[in-house]
Amino acid sequence: MPEPTKKDETPNGQPEESVAPDSNGALPLPEISLEVSPPPDEDDAAATTPSPTPQPEEANTLKKLSIELPNDSVPLPEMGRKDSVWSLGDGQAPEDLDKPIDTPPRSTLLIESPQSASMAVGGDISFVAKVEAKDLLRKPTVKWFKGKWMDLASKTGKHLQLKETFDRQTKIHTFEMHIIKAKENYAGNYRCEVTYKDKFDSCSFDLEVKEAETGSQNIDIRSAFKRSSEGQEDAGELDFSGLLKHREPKQQDDAPDVDVWEILKNARPDQYEKIAFMYGITDLRGLLRRMKKIPKEEKKSEAFAKKLEPAYQVDKGGKIRLVVDLADPTVELKWYKNGQEIRPSPKYIFEHKGTQRIMVINNCSMNDDAAYSVAAGDEKCATELFVKELPVKIVKGIEPVKTTVNERIELECEVSEEGAQVKWMKNGVEVPTGVRSRYRVKSEGTKHFLVIDDASREDTGTYSLMASGGTSEAHVKVDLKPLKIYQDLQDMTVKLGQPLKLHCEIYPGNVPGRWYRNGQLIQPNDRITIIHRNKVHRLEIEASSLHDAGDYTFVPEGYSQSLSAKIHIIDPPRVHLDSLNFPDNMVTIVAGNKLRLEIPISGEPAPRVVWMKGERVILESGHRVRAETYGDQTSLTIDITEREDSGNYKIVLQNEAGEATASVKIKVVDIPDPPEAPLVPVVGGDWCSMTWEPPKYDGGSPILGYFIERKKKQSSRWMRLNFDLIKETSFEPKKMIEGVPYEVRIFAVNAIGVSKPSEPSKAFTPLAVTSEPTMLVVDDVTDTTVTVKWRPPETIGAAGLDGYIVEYCIEGANDWVVSNTELTEKTKYTITGLTPGSKILVRVRAINAAGASPPRTLQHSVLVKEVIEPPKIRVPRHLKQTYTRRVGEAVNLVVPFMGKPRPKVTWLKEGNPIEPTHVSIRNTDCDSIIFIRKAERSHSGKYEMTVQVENHVDTAIIDIQIVDLPGPPQCVTIEDVWGGNVALVWTPPKDNGNSPITGYTIQKADKKTMEWFTCIEHYHRTCITITELVVGNEYFFRMYSENMCGLSEAATQTKKSALIVKEGISPHDTAQHQYHAQPHSFTLPPTGMQMKTHEFNDRDFKEAPKFTQPLINTFAIAGYNATLNCSVRANPRPKVIWMKNKIAILDDPRYRMFSNQGVCTLEIRKPSPYDGGMYTCKAINDLGEAQVDCKLEVKGGFTFYELMQRGVPLHLIDKYMNEHKIVEQEK
C-alpha cells in the first residue's frame, strides 16, 4: 500500500494537539481513510469510473478516497452505472456535481444555450439551443456530445431524440435534444457544438438524475460491485463492463453468502484492497465512492466521550500529543503502535488530566510514522500519524573534474544532515548503483561520494546530487590519451584460397578496436579470427575468397584516427560451360526468337572477355548481336536470330592471372522457304488439279507436309483446304463455284513451323461445257443449201455461251466438215456449197470457254433438193380488224408470210396499184413492210396483198382508216324557252373526221360578259334542254362535236339569244328579243297581265343495267398481259363484279379491274394456261342486273418462269417469246 499523506495539518505546518468533542457530547464513529495511488496507466484508468480531478496543490501527491460505512437508509444503486439497454457514456463523477462549472461567455452563433438541469429517474427532459441565421447562407452544423468524446447522433432511439426546426419569419434555427425515461447513468456533463464554415461555438451543461432512497439491507455488495459479462442475467446495477473486453461467464460460486459490509466495518483502511480482491469486488473505486455517500451510523460510545482524530501530522524532530476523553475515568487504558503495546519511556510520555488521557511522542522520526490505537476496556479507537521530514540542504557542492580515460574519478558533496537520503544524477538521469554498475556510492557522516574506478569517454557529462532541500552539480570531462602507431597495416595481394593475415601495433595497448572491410564491420567466425594482445591487433582469414578483397580499416575505439590497407585477391580466369547442360555445347534456337546465352565465368580481377565468330569480334555496342560481361558471367545476345547466325562462337578470357578459351556452337533453325507458285494444269466444273515443287530451303528441319489455301480472285479471304498435312506435291481442290475465278497457294511445314505462303497461282475459273443444243430441225432446203435451226442448250453454266459450230458429213462417210469458220451466235444457220441431190447429216455443238459441248445430230439425213411450199400470209391479229391511225401519224405494218421458193409479193389499193411516192413498200423472204411516214385521210382504204409462188397464190386484205378531228355541228337553234329552261336542237356535222361522232359539248355565255361555261360534255343526242338558268339573264349557246380524235376545232353558236324573264311580265315587254319565255296560255285581267304555266314532270332517267358492248372470246399468249373489255349503261351507277368460271375474283394480285364511263376492263397479268376459262362481267343496281360472258384461251409453250428455271439466258427467252407471239398471231 502506498505511503499516506498527512491530512489534518494547520496552515503553519504545526501539529494540532486539541480535538473538539461532538456537539451531542458523544464521540463520533471513526472516519476511515483509504489512501490509494492513482492508476498506473491509461488502461487501468479506462477500466474504472473516472475520479474527481485533484486540486492543483495535490497534483504531485497520492489520491485519497474516504469511505463511510453504509446504513439502512441509503440505497445501494446510488452510484451511476453503465446500463445494458442504452448508455450515454461516462459523465461527470458524482463528487464533481457540486463543484462550480465555469460558464463560457456568450458566443457569436448561439443566441440561446442549453442550461443545466436535474430530473428524477424515468422522467423526460429537453435541452434547447438556438442559432440566428440572418447572416448565415446555409444551415449550421450542430452536434451533441456526452462527456468529451461521445457523439449522441449515433445513440438516437427510444431514449434519445434529436430535433431541429427553422422559423422563416424570425430566421432562427432551433435544435432540441429530448431525453425520454432517463436512467441514472444519463447524469453527467453534456456539450453542444455549433459549426458554420470557419466559425465555431460550444456550450456545456450538466444533467443530474435523482433516485428515491430505498433500503439496502438486502443488497448483495459483491454482485453490485462485481464486473460481469455483457448481457449476463445477473449483471449488477453498477455494471461497468460496457467499455471492457468481452469475458467468458464464470461459474456461479456456491460458497455461502458473506456479509462484506460487516467485514469492511471491522477492517482497517489498509485492508480494503485485500478484502475486495478476496471477495471478487473489482470496482473498488465505485465501492469507495458509494460507501462515502452512505450516511454515517452514529453510535454512542460507552468508553470514550471523544475519540482520536482520524489522522495527525508532525514534522520530523518535533512532538505530537494524542488525546482521548474517557466517559469512565476508571477504565484501564492501553496505547498501541501498529498493534504493539506502547510502554512509557522518555520518547512516549503518558499524561492524565481529568477524563483526558494524553500520549506525548517526543523527537518524532520516520519510525514514528505508523498507525496508533487506544483501547479502553472492550472499545478501541485508532488514528494515523504522519511524520513530515525537514528538507536536507547542500553544505558543500561538487567540484568540476577533468581527467583522461582509465583514471579514477571521485565526486564529493556535503549535506546538512547525517544519514540523509540523496540521489546522484548524470545528465538528469539517476546514476545506477547496482552490483554490476561502474558507479559506487558511499557516505561518511554528512559527506556523500560518487566513485568511478576506470573512467571512459562515456563518463563525460554533468553530475548532480539531489537532496530534499537543494541540488549541487558539476561537469566531468574525460579525454582520450594520445594514440601512437608502432606498426601500420600493409597492402597485400593474395591468391584465391591462400590465408590472409593483417597485423598492426598501437599505443595505448589496452585500447580495443574494430575491423572494417569496405566500411562493413567484420565479426569473428569460424573462418575469421580477430586477436588483441596488448599493443598488437591481428586479423587472420584461413582461406581467402573473392569477397575478402577490398579496403580494410582498423579503428581504435574512441579515436578518430584509423589504420587502413588494400587487399587484392587474384584468381585465373575460367569458363564454366558445364552449367549450360547442352550436348556437345550446341545451342539450338528458332529463327526470329531472341537468344540470350549466359555463361558463368570466374577470375579475379574480373577478366577481359572477347566473343568471336570466326575472325569477327562481337562488340558490346552491337545493335542486333552484342556481347555483354558483368559480374561473374558473360552473355551473348542476339535480339532476332537469323539463319546466318549459325556457327561456332569462341570466348576468350584474360586477366593478370592467366588466360582461358572456350567455344559454343549455335544452330539457328527456321521455318522453310515458301514453295514456288503452284501450277493448275487441269480445270473442271467444280474442281482443278494442282502441282508444286518443294521449297529450296527446308529451314534446317525436314519438310513434314503442306497446307493448301484458296480464295476467290476478287476476295482477300483465304480458306484452308486441308487440316491434315499433305505429304505429296499434288492436290485436287473440289467444291468450287463454277464460273468464279480462283487462286491457290501453298504453305510448307517443318518441325519449327509453317512457312510463308507461296505466290498465288495464276487465276483459273472452274468451268463446264454446256449441254448439247436442243430441238435441232431442218428449216429450209434448196438445191445447194440446207438451213437448220435449234434451241439453246438446257444447261449453259457459268461460262456462258460463246456460239455454235455447225458440222455436216455426207451420208455413209465419217468425215465431219465444219461449215462455219467463225462461231455463230444465232440458232439458225445455212450450209452452203452443197451438191444437189446428195444426202447429208448435220450436227451442232455449243462452244464456251470450257470447250465444245456434246453434239446434237439430226436423226435423219437431209436430201439436198429444193421443195416447193405453197405461200401463206400470216396476218397479225391487230391487222385483222380495221387499223386506225390519226392524221399525221406514221404507219408501219409488217405482214409475215411463208412460201418456197421466195414468193412474189404485190400490193393493190381499191384494186389499183399503190403509188410509191405516197406509200413505201419493202419485201423480204419472209415478210412485207408497208410504211407511211405521215398519214393523210386519203391513205384510208382497203389494201390487198398478194403472195405468189409459181401457180400458188395467197391473198389478204388490210383495212386502214386515217381519222381526223370532226367539223362543228350544223344549224344550232333555240327551239323553246320556258321558266329557267332552254331547249336546243342541232344537226350532226358534215365532216365526221372519218370516224363516228362520239358526242357533243354544249357551252353557255351570258350576254353581259360573254364568258363561256361548259354545261355538259360527251352528250350523244342532237337535242338537249339546258336547265337552271338565271332569271333575268340573256344567254347565247355554242356546241362542239367530238370523235375518237377529240373535239372539233370550231364551234357552232346560236344566232339568237334566249332571255329568261320573270313570271307576270307581259310578252310585249320583251318584244325586242327573238326568243323569250312565253306561257302556252295567258289572260289579261283588268288589273294587269297574268301568266299561267303548265306543270312538267321530270323525266325518270333510271335504267336497269344493259351491256352495250359484250365480251368477246379472246386468245392470249402465256406470259403476256391480256385484257377483257365491255361497256354497260345503267342509272344509278351499277356495281361491277368479275367472275372466272362462276367464281368471283376478289383480291387477286394477278387481276386488275377498271371502270371508266361505263367501260369495264379486266387485265390479266402474264397469264398461264391455268388462267384460261369462262370469264363473266356482272353489273348490278337497284333496278336489276345483267351479265356477259366470254371464253379466254391461253396458248404458249414454256412459260417465262419455266424458262428461267431451266437457266435459259434472258436474251434467248425474249427472242423465244417474240417468235412465239408472231406464230400465234399468224394462226
Side-chain angles (χ1 to χ4, degrees):
M1 188 169 180
E3 180 181 2
T5 58
K6 288 68 180 176
K7 180 178 180 182
D8 298 329
E9 182 179 358
T10 57
N12 57 6
Q14 297 299 324
E16 185 178 356
E17 298 184 0
S18 61
V19 177
D22 199 355
S23 60
N24 55 7
L27 293 174
L29 287 175
E31 180 179 349
I32 302 174
S33 294
L34 175 62
E35 294 150 0
V36 296
S37 59
D41 50 24
E42 294 180 358
D43 294 337
D44 295 338
T48 61
T49 56
S51 60
T53 304
Q55 297 299 325
E57 62 272 11
E58 297 177 355
N60 297 325
T61 62
L62 302 177
K63 294 183 179 180
K64 179 188 294 184
L65 297 176
S66 298
I67 301 178
E68 298 178 0
L69 296 181
N71 56 19
D72 296 339
S73 63
V74 181
L76 179 62
E78 185 69 19
M79 292 291 297
R81 64 178 180 86
K82 293 185 180 294
D83 189 68
S84 59
V85 177
W86 180 63
S87 176
L88 292 179
D90 294 338
Q92 190 176 8
E95 302 91 277
D96 298 340
L97 294 177
D98 298 334
K99 295 182 180 181
I101 299 177
D102 296 335
T103 303
R106 175 68 65 179
S107 66
T108 58
L109 292 177
L110 287 171
I111 61 175
E112 181 178 338
S113 303
Q115 302 298 324
S116 300
S118 61
M119 61 182 298
V121 173
D124 299 343
I125 193 170
S126 298
F127 296 94
V128 179
K130 294 186 179 180
V131 178
E132 189 174 7
K134 291 183 178 180
D135 299 331
L136 306 182
L137 300 179
R138 58 179 176 83
K139 184 183 73 174
T141 303
V142 174
K143 293 184 178 180
W144 298 85
F145 294 91
K146 184 175 190 295
K148 295 182 179 180
W149 55 271
M150 178 173 287
D151 188 353
L152 298 182
S154 61
K155 300 295 183 180
T156 55
K158 64 179 183 180
H159 291 284
L160 176 67
Q161 295 181 0
L162 301 180
K163 181 181 178 181
E164 56 184 50
T165 57
F166 178 69
D167 191 345
R168 297 185 178 275
Q169 295 181 356
T170 60
K171 296 187 181 298
I172 293 178
H173 291 277
T174 303
F175 302 91
E176 301 179 18
M177 180 179 71
H178 301 283
I179 298 178
I180 304 170
K181 295 182 181 179
K183 298 184 179 181
E184 292 181 23
N185 60 331
Y186 295 2
N189 180 255
Y190 290 80
R191 187 172 75 257
C192 176
E193 292 185 356
V194 182
T195 305
Y196 176 77
K197 292 186 178 179
D198 56 347
K199 297 182 180 181
F200 175 80
D201 195 4
S202 66
C203 66
S204 299
F205 55 96
D206 296 321
L207 173 64
E208 180 181 2
V209 180
K210 298 180 181 180
E211 184 176 7
E213 297 184 354
T214 58
S216 61
Q217 63 274 14
N218 296 326
I219 294 179
D220 185 3
I221 186 173
R222 288 184 295 169
S223 62
F225 293 95
K226 185 185 296 183
R227 304 182 192 272
S228 60
S229 301
E230 186 176 354
Q232 193 170 342
E233 293 180 358
D234 59 348
E237 288 294 329
L238 299 177
D239 183 26
F240 295 89
S241 61
L243 298 176
L244 298 178
K245 298 180 179 177
H246 293 287
R247 302 174 181 173
E248 295 294 332
K250 297 181 179 180
Q251 298 294 333
Q252 183 69 29
D253 190 5
D254 296 334
D257 295 336
V258 179
D259 190 356
V260 183
W261 287 115
E262 294 297 330
I263 297 175
L264 291 174
K265 290 177 183 179
N266 301 323
R268 298 194 307 272
D270 59 349
Q271 295 179 346
Y272 285 171
E273 288 187 356
K274 181 179 179 180
I275 295 173
F277 177 76
M278 182 183 301
Y279 292 99
I281 298 175
T282 55
D283 190 7
L284 180 58
R285 293 193 177 187
L287 170 65
L288 298 180
R289 285 196 297 270
R290 183 59 181 272
M291 292 177 64
K292 183 178 180 180
K293 286 191 174 183
I294 298 176
K296 297 179 182 180
E297 182 180 359
E298 300 293 339
K299 292 183 180 180
K300 187 175 182 181
S301 176
E302 296 179 357
F304 297 98
K306 182 179 181 182
K307 295 183 179 181
L308 294 174
E309 293 294 333
Y312 296 89
Q313 180 173 320
V314 65
D315 290 336
K316 185 178 179 181
K319 71 176 182 178
I320 185 69
R321 292 166 57 89
L322 304 180
V323 180
V324 295
D325 198 348
L326 298 178
D328 185 4
T330 62
V331 177
E332 184 181 358
L333 195 67
K334 292 183 179 181
W335 295 85
Y336 296 90
K337 174 184 177 182
N338 291 337
Q340 299 294 327
E341 185 178 356
I342 303 174
R343 299 294 180 181
S345 65
K347 187 171 185 65
Y348 301 101
I349 300 174
F350 301 101
E351 298 178 358
H352 298 263
K353 291 183 179 181
T355 59
Q356 291 185 349
R357 301 292 183 264
I358 303 171
M359 181 180 69
V360 180
I361 304 175
N362 296 315
N363 194 18
C364 294
S365 65
M366 297 305 299
N367 293 331
D368 297 325
D369 192 302
Y372 293 86
S373 61
V374 58
D378 296 335
E379 293 189 24
K380 182 185 292 186
C381 64
T383 187
E384 283 191 82
L385 177 62
F386 300 98
V387 180
K388 183 178 180 182
E389 290 187 86
L390 296 177
V392 178
K393 298 182 179 180
I394 303 298
V395 176
K396 181 181 179 181
I398 308 172
E399 296 181 357
V401 177
K402 185 176 183 181
T403 184
T404 59
V405 294
N406 302 327
E407 298 295 336
R408 185 176 184 274
I409 300 175
E410 182 176 300
L411 300 178
E412 179 183 351
C413 182
E414 186 176 354
V415 297
S416 61
E417 184 177 346
E418 183 177 351
Q421 296 293 329
V422 297
K423 288 184 180 180
W424 286 94
M425 311 288 286
K426 177 187 176 183
N427 297 328
V429 180
E430 185 176 358
V431 175
T433 58
V435 178
R436 297 183 180 181
S437 176
R438 298 177 60 250
Y439 303 94
R440 290 188 300 111
V441 177
K442 65 179 182 178
S443 62
E444 296 176 359
T446 59
K447 294 183 179 180
H448 294 264
F449 300 91
L450 176 64
V451 180
I452 304 173
D453 291 329
D454 189 6
S456 65
R457 295 194 65 183
E458 287 76 11
D459 296 329
T460 300
T462 301
Y463 290 80
S464 60
L465 183 138
M466 294 181 61
S468 60
T471 302
S472 176
E473 65 178 20
H475 185 71
V476 176
K477 183 177 182 182
V478 181
D479 294 329
L480 294 173
K481 294 181 179 180
L483 180 68
K484 295 181 181 180
I485 300 175
Y486 293 152
Q487 183 176 349
D488 201 351
L489 295 177
Q490 302 295 325
D491 294 343
M492 299 177 63
T493 300
V494 182
K495 286 189 177 181
L496 184 67
Q498 297 298 319
L500 171 63
K501 296 181 180 180
L502 295 175
H503 175 86
C504 67
E505 294 183 12
I506 62 173
Y507 174 82
N510 60 349
V511 176
R514 295 185 179 183
W515 292 87
Y516 293 88
R517 179 176 60 242
N518 298 328
Q520 298 294 327
L521 179 65
I522 301 175
Q523 298 290 347
N525 53 32
D526 296 339
R527 195 173 64 88
I528 301 175
T529 304
I530 297 177
I531 301 173
H532 177 204
R533 293 177 182 174
N534 295 329
K535 303 177 182 178
V536 178
H537 295 267
R538 186 182 301 122
L539 173 66
E540 296 180 356
I541 301 175
E542 291 183 2
S544 60
S545 64
L546 296 178
H547 300 289
D548 296 329
D551 295 331
Y552 283 77
T553 305
F554 176 74
V555 180
E557 186 174 347
Y559 292 88
S560 60
Q561 293 177 271
S562 63
L563 292 77
S564 61
K566 185 179 291 293
I567 304 302
H568 188 45
I569 307 296
I570 62 174
D571 184 30
R574 287 190 297 273
V575 181
H576 304 279
L577 293 178
D578 298 339
S579 62
L580 295 179
N581 296 326
F582 291 128
D584 301 330
N585 294 332
M586 176 179 287
V587 180
T588 303
I589 185 68
V590 178
N593 292 339
K594 181 178 180 179
L595 172 63
R596 183 176 179 85
L597 185 61
E598 296 181 349
I599 300 176
I601 60 173
S602 62
E604 184 65 28
R608 177 175 174 268
V609 182
V610 178
W611 285 81
M612 301 179 65
K613 182 183 180 185
E615 300 297 330
R616 182 171 62 89
V617 176
I618 300 175
L619 303 178
E620 293 185 0
S621 60
H623 179 64
R624 187 179 64 86
V625 182
R626 61 186 178 276
E628 298 174 336
T629 301
Y630 46 91
D632 57 351
Q633 65 181 7
T634 181
S635 65
L636 174 68
T637 303
I638 305 177
D639 288 338
I640 302 176
T641 54
E642 299 176 354
R643 301 174 185 173
E644 294 76 10
D645 296 329
S646 300
N648 290 325
Y649 290 79
K650 184 178 180 181
I651 311 171
V652 180
L653 279 69
Q654 292 179 345
N655 69 355
E656 60 185 58
E659 180 178 339
T661 60
S663 63
V664 178
K665 186 177 182 181
I666 296 177
K667 181 181 179 182
V668 180
V669 295
D670 197 0
I671 60 175
D673 286 344
E676 297 291 335
L679 302 177
V680 184
V682 181
V683 178
D686 62 346
W687 62 275
C688 71
S689 176
M690 55 183 294
T691 60
W692 63 90
E693 295 295 332
K696 296 180 180 179
Y697 175 67
D698 60 0
S701 180
I703 298 297
L704 301 179
Y706 302 91
F707 286 122
I708 293 92
E709 290 184 350
R710 78 177 180 207
K711 77 173 183 69
K712 297 176 183 178
K713 185 177 180 181
Q714 302 299 330
S715 174
S716 61
R717 177 176 172 270
W718 290 90
M719 182 178 68
R720 181 158 291 183
L721 302 181
N722 64 309
F723 294 97
D724 296 329
L725 292 176
I726 297 176
K727 308 295 183 181
E728 298 80 11
T729 57
S730 62
F731 186 69
E732 288 188 1
K734 297 180 179 180
K735 296 182 180 180
M736 292 185 284
I737 302 174
E738 183 182 358
V740 177
Y742 285 90
E743 294 177 347
V744 292
R745 66 182 184 183
I746 310 297
F747 293 86
V749 182
N750 63 2
I752 307 304
V754 182
S755 70
K756 294 181 179 179
S758 67
E759 290 294 327
S761 65
K762 292 183 179 179
F764 62 92
T765 304
L767 297 173
V769 298
T770 65
S771 61
E772 64 273 11
T774 60
M775 301 175 65
L776 177 62
V777 295
V778 177
D779 185 58
D780 190 16
V781 179
T782 65
D783 292 338
T784 58
T785 63
V786 173
T787 302
V788 293
K789 61 180 180 180
W790 60 91
R791 293 294 182 190
E794 293 183 356
T795 303
I796 295 178
L801 182 62
D802 296 337
Y804 301 93
I805 291 179
V806 180
E807 299 175 319
Y808 69 93
C809 71
I810 305 300
E811 186 180 20
N814 204 19
D815 297 332
W816 289 91
V817 179
V818 178
S819 177
N820 55 327
T821 56
E822 296 182 358
L823 295 179
T824 177
E825 295 181 359
K826 298 180 179 180
T827 57
K828 186 176 181 180
Y829 186 76
T830 300
I831 303 173
T832 59
L834 298 178
T835 302
S838 62
K839 291 184 177 181
I840 63 171
L841 293 174
V842 182
R843 68 182 186 185
V844 180
R845 292 175 180 268
I847 307 299
N848 65 0
S853 69
R856 170 68 69 178
T857 308
L858 288 175
Q859 296 180 356
H860 305 285
S861 60
V862 179
L863 176 63
V864 182
K865 182 179 180 181
E866 188 171 13
V867 178
I868 297 175
E869 180 180 348
K872 185 175 181 181
I873 301 175
R874 298 183 177 276
V875 180
R877 184 175 59 178
H878 67 283
L879 296 181
K880 291 180 180 180
Q881 301 176 358
T882 301
Y883 182 77
T884 305
R885 280 291 181 269
R886 294 184 181 183
V887 173
E889 293 181 348
V891 177
N892 187 11
L893 302 178
V894 179
V895 182
F897 56 83
M898 299 176 61
K900 291 184 179 180
R902 180 175 180 175
K904 180 180 179 182
V905 181
T906 57
W907 285 87
L908 297 176
K909 178 185 178 185
E910 305 293 344
N912 299 319
I914 298 176
E915 295 183 6
T917 57
H918 295 162
V919 179
S920 298
I921 296 176
R922 184 174 62 87
N923 298 321
T924 63
D925 294 341
C926 60
D927 57 20
S928 179
I929 300 174
I930 181 170
F931 177 73
I932 302 174
R933 184 175 301 276
K934 191 173 183 180
E936 298 178 358
R937 294 177 63 174
S938 59
H939 292 150
S940 300
K942 296 184 180 297
Y943 291 78
E944 181 180 356
M945 176 182 177
T946 303
V947 180
Q948 181 177 0
V949 176
E950 294 184 353
N951 297 327
H952 303 278
V953 178
D954 190 13
T955 304
I957 296 175
I958 298 175
D959 187 5
I960 299 177
Q961 182 180 5
I962 307 300
V963 298
D964 197 0
L965 295 176
Q970 303 182 66
C971 190
V972 179
T973 59
I974 299 175
E975 187 178 73
D976 194 3
V977 178
W978 73 98
N981 305 312
V982 174
L984 301 178
V985 180
W986 66 91
T987 58
K990 292 181 180 181
D991 183 9
N992 61 359
N994 206 18
S995 176
I997 298 298
T998 59
Y1000 300 92
T1001 298
I1002 298 94
Q1003 294 181 344
K1004 65 180 179 180
D1006 190 358
K1007 184 178 181 181
K1008 299 177 182 178
T1009 61
M1010 288 307 293
E1011 291 184 4
W1012 294 98
F1013 298 93
T1014 301
C1015 298
I1016 192 169
E1017 295 178 325
H1018 312 299
Y1019 189 75
H1020 299 284
R1021 301 178 182 179
T1022 56
C1023 60
I1024 190 173
T1025 301
I1026 305 301
T1027 62
E1028 299 180 358
L1029 297 177
V1030 179
V1031 175
N1033 290 353
E1034 186 177 355
Y1035 292 94
F1036 286 95
F1037 300 91
R1038 69 181 181 182
M1039 195 170 302
Y1040 293 88
S1041 59
E1042 182 181 7
N1043 65 0
M1044 63 179 298
C1045 294
L1047 295 176
S1048 60
E1049 294 180 354
T1052 302
Q1053 183 177 336
T1054 57
K1055 295 181 180 180
K1056 299 180 181 180
S1057 63
L1059 176 63
I1060 308 303
V1061 297
K1062 297 180 182 180
E1063 295 182 1
I1065 298 177
S1066 172
H1068 299 285
D1069 298 334
T1070 58
Q1072 67 273 20
H1073 299 284
Q1074 297 293 330
Y1075 293 94
H1076 52 83
Q1078 56 180 348
H1080 293 275
S1081 62
F1082 57 89
T1083 59
L1084 297 176
T1087 57
M1089 182 177 63
Q1090 295 182 355
M1091 179 181 292
K1092 183 178 180 182
T1093 60
H1094 296 278
E1095 293 182 359
F1096 296 93
N1097 294 328
D1098 293 336
R1099 175 168 177 167
D1100 188 6
F1101 289 96
K1102 293 183 179 180
E1103 182 179 4
K1106 179 180 180 182
F1107 283 92
T1108 58
Q1109 177 65 38
L1111 292 174
I1112 302 174
N1113 294 336
T1114 307
F1115 294 93
I1117 299 176
Y1120 292 87
N1121 293 354
T1123 57
L1124 302 178
N1125 299 291
C1126 63
S1127 61
V1128 62
R1129 185 176 69 234
N1131 190 11
R1133 185 177 179 179
K1135 178 181 179 182
V1136 178
I1137 300 175
W1138 287 91
M1139 294 182 290
K1140 174 188 174 185
N1141 297 330
K1142 305 302 180 180
I1143 299 175
I1145 300 173
L1146 300 174
D1147 299 331
D1148 194 333
R1150 295 182 300 115
Y1151 298 95
R1152 296 175 63 190
M1153 291 169 277
F1154 308 96
S1155 178
N1156 184 19
Q1157 298 294 332
V1159 178
C1160 302
T1161 304
L1162 175 66
E1163 180 182 0
I1164 306 172
R1165 305 179 64 185
K1166 297 181 180 179
S1168 64
Y1170 171 78
D1171 294 319
M1174 184 66 67
Y1175 284 82
T1176 302
C1177 181
K1178 187 174 183 180
I1180 305 174
N1181 68 1
D1182 296 338
L1183 301 180
E1185 63 180 36
Q1187 68 178 27
V1188 290
D1189 302 323
C1190 74
K1191 183 178 181 182
L1192 174 65
E1193 183 179 354
V1194 180
K1195 296 184 178 181
F1198 297 109
T1199 64
F1200 181 86
Y1201 177 75
E1202 292 173 341
L1203 292 176
M1204 287 292 293
Q1205 279 189 326
R1206 292 173 178 267
V1208 180
L1210 291 175
H1211 67 282
L1212 298 178
I1213 295 176
D1214 184 66
K1215 185 175 181 181
Y1216 168 77
M1217 289 297 180
N1218 291 334
E1219 293 180 354
H1220 192 77
K1221 184 176 180 180
I1222 293 174
V1223 172
E1224 293 296 330
Q1225 290 176 351
E1226 292 176 351
K1227 291 181 180 180

